[in-house]
Amino acid sequence: MCGIVGYVGKKKAVPVLVEGLKQLEYRGYDSAGVSVIGSGIETVKATGKVAVLENKLGGNDFGSMVGIAHTRWATHGKPSDRNSHPHGDCSGKISLVHNGIIENYRELRDLLVAKEHKFSSDTDSEVVAHLIEEFAKKLKFQDAVLAALNEIRGTYGLAILNSDEPEKIYAARLGSPLLLGVGKNENIVASDASAIVKYTDKVVYLDDGEMAVVGSDSYEVVTIKNKKIQKKIDTLDWSIEQAQKQGFDHFMLKEIFEQPEAVSNAMLGRLLVKEGMANLGGLKDVDERLKGINRIIISSCGTSYYAGLIGEYMLEEFAGIPVEVEYASEFRYRSPVIDKNTAVLAISQSGETADTLAAIREAKSKGALALGIVNVVGSTIARETDAGVYNIAGPEIGVASTKAFTSQLTILALLTLYLGRQRGMSEATGKKIASELKKIPKYIEGILSQKNDIKKIAKKLDKYSNLLYLGRKYNFPIALEGALKIKEISYVHAEGYAAGEMKHGPIALIDKNFPSVFVVPKDSVYEKTISAIEEIKARGGKIIAIATEGDKEIAKLADEIIYIPKTLEMLTPLVAVVPLQLLAYYVGIGKGYDVDKPRNLAKSVTVE
Ligand code: F6R
């Protein structure tokens, strides 16, 4: 989820590019770089924030009026000057910036290395520059770019410079956002409108499979099959702040809506539907050791801990491995019994949570295999674990975790496939899980389209100061997560509880002023959960149900219902959590709170 900007016009390019990067910095901030066409291609890169790059540039604009720039959110290759964009070819004539993932980069890289291309980074992106260079040996540059785009599998937003055409930028999109700001005697390419609004309000949104050839006074758009197309020019009415949020009122809402993409990214190149397996490249180095592991301890905090609880259910049921889940803050101080046949798995969005990091250090000191599921590439936990899997969910800015959670669940499902198939899971079961997992992004889209109905339900919850969240089996942790979300964002007291435990205590709280939110999909414990609903109803409690589409029974019991699609029981948490995130969001904004920065909380808890 990097940020791209490109400029061609009559102004000095460097200041426009640096300014654009600052607006895009929320998309990624581990390193940045810029290339302009001066006497040839001039490239400056720096690890760290855009300000570090700005310092390094020291006001030098190379006299150029055309250039591209990038702020990075690492996916392949750790954050470093070497891995920062732009990336070039061998001749030094091509420079490009890329947002997305090139799935087949390993095979392309091997082919290009065989043709004596020399690579200078560990990124998937650099392969595109060399591929264009290779095609340009026989084709005109524009055709070479198109030929390369047709070879790539994966996703891209690309901006490309060719020093032989010093008044042009090539920009192409597949799965990663890219738009063109149309100005007077200048045009700007960017990942989103925040880098453009300062200069123009006229924009052309590139669609997937399109490439724009952009000059200062004109531009032309073709499909990657080289068919010319006429694009509509839209007018923006966004401020810079709004543009960063891409029209959403808050980062939290934007991130809730990014979940179909975050879940897809987590699976990209990893989920093998036909084979009913998962390919987790990050675990390859420890594959042999994993085969000897007889116990997994998942250790994490907050929302990531709840993801771990669901992981426990998945891994025990389908991979047959004993799993324990423990708060990292407890694990680190209680002398846990672990040995070299134990794997300790840290789940962390930030990769910097102090307690989770301490848990990993404790585990390593006792000889355990330390694994991670981490979103921030190059973070301390990512570096200190022996092996792991990155989320590739992009930066999560809203303090309340949303897209990182569904991405963590996706990776736990992949891990279940990976370890399960190593340990006797049948091919048929593997295929069933894999093909259903593939459908989850579409299911989430369907739930998101009900946002107005969920908003209405949130309005009705406004007057209550206590809520009980209940669920059973795979959805017990979802009840915990739903309660945590509403606590954080709306400062409403909410308790998450196992539906079957409710009768052992919390039921005493129930009256007409204490509603219960039930996660009650049609699964193996449906009838048991319905009994718990009946018990609450009998005591005058209101019921809000998250239920499976087509469930007629629930309509007789619940006061409000939000429907979710039917899926495999182990995957229901991935869909059931989405309405609860939206509910928390709308209750929070209904009360007038800043949901992106709830009081007393920090995004990354680096203290004990
Ligand atoms: C809740 C939330 C926190 C984090 C927790 C762990 O919305 O965001 O509970 O989940 O602080 O953070 P990471 O995953 O960064 O280790």
Side-chain angles (χ1 to χ4, degrees), residues 491-530:
Y491 317 142
V492 169
H493 168 243
E495 271 199 63
Y497 232 80
E501 270 293 299
M502 182 266 308
K503 57 187 176 292
H504 296 287
I507 195 164
L509 295 166
I510 297 301
D511 63 17
K512 65 179 179 10
N513 296 318
F514 204 138
S516 301
V517 180
F518 268 90
V519 188
V520 54
K522 278 261 184 182
D523 58 9
S524 63
V525 288
Y526 173 75
E527 272 155 23
K528 310 269 173 220
T529 315
I530 289 288

Side-chain angles (χ1 to χ4, degrees), residues 14 20 29 42 49 118 130 293 305 385 398 412 533 570 588 600:
V14 168
Y29 32 74
E42 308 277 4
K49 300 210 172 210
K118 301 264 176 296
H130 291 275
I293 290 300
Y305 168 80
T385 38
L412 286 162
I533 294 180
M570 70 173 271
N600 309 336

Side-chain angles (χ1 to χ4, degrees), residues 301-304 347-351 353 399-401 484-485 488 605:
C301 303
T303 292
S304 300
I347 304 179
S348 177
Q349 186 287 129
S350 61
T353 301
V399 165
S401 188
L484 176 65
K485 230 50 339 154
E488 288 180 294
V605 186

Side-chain angles (χ1 to χ4, degrees), residues 8 24-25 47 118 194 212 225-226 239 287 307-308 345 377 380 398 409 476 503 592:
V8 48
L24 293 172
E25 201 163 20
T47 310
K118 301 264 176 296
S194 55
K225 300 292 174 205
N226 207 9
S239 66
D287 216 27
L345 170 63
V377 173
T380 314
L409 295 183
F476 159 47
K503 57 187 176 292

